Amino acid sequence: MVTAISNAIRQIPRGRVSTYGAVAKAAGYPRCARHVAKVLNQVDGLPWQRVLGSGGRISLRGELGMEQRFLLESEGVRFRGKRADIKTFEHRFAPTGRKLRAVGRQKRLPGK
DNA sequence: ACTTTGACTTCGG
DNA sequence: TCCGAAGCCAAAG
């Protein structure tokens, strides 16, 4: 799993970004956004700066956050205030037909 | 086997 | 738009 997620992250090309949730899903583990974060923190050699929170927000605080933003802008990713312009720069993962955990899970109770 | 741990996400206010 | 609460889930201790 750590491997699957790492691979997914490595697929994000320069000048593009993705989100924890999207990466998790692409790796075959929807709803495991937090694990993506953990992997980014543990495994090195990954383009960590290309993974953002939902909506293109940067989750890292302080210096690290600043650096992430700096690196992304260097790659050409533009920001709108606090968010990356995810609409135009989000990476679309190749459909690797991995079903693993993706199966059997339905949407949340419409209740509410 | 149980508890803690995340660079999360969505929703209501 | 910002904040807190609740939901989520595999890995590590």
Side-chain angles (χ1 to χ4, degrees):
Chain A
M1 166 207 198
V2 175
T3 338
I5 292 179
S6 298
N7 290 330
I9 295 171
R10 273 190 278 268
Q11 290 175 50
I12 305 174
R14 190 170 169 289
R16 283 280 163 105
V17 297
S18 191
T19 65
Y20 301 95
V23 170
K25 190 173 117 199
Y29 294 86
R31 293 182 210 62
C32 285
R34 316 175 80 144
H35 301 277
V36 174
K38 199 169 271 187
V39 170
L40 281 168
N41 197 31
Q42 298 170 4
V43 184
D44 48 26
L46 297 175
W48 61 273
Q49 72 276 26
R50 301 186 191 142
V51 185
L52 305 168
S54 66
R57 290 188 312 270
I58 288 183
S59 300
L60 287 167
R61 315 302 143 133
E63 304 268 349
L64 286 172
M66 304 284 274
E67 172 163 341
Q68 176 169 30
R69 176 166 174 163
F70 174 78
L71 288 170
L72 287 176
E73 292 189 303
S74 308
E75 295 187 349
V77 177
R78 289 183 294 156
F79 280 71
R80 260 182 213 182
K82 293 191 170 183
R83 324 190 159 188
D85 195 335
I86 202 170
K87 282 191 193 163
T88 54
F89 298 101
E90 180 167 32
H91 170 64
R92 293 177 203 179
F93 290 90
T96 60
R98 260 193 173 294
K99 285 181 186 170
L100 219 53
R101 302 226 140 217
V103 300
R105 239 22 168 205
Q106 293 315 315
K107 51 164 59 174
R108 222 123 297 299
L109 245 292
K112 204 292 309 216

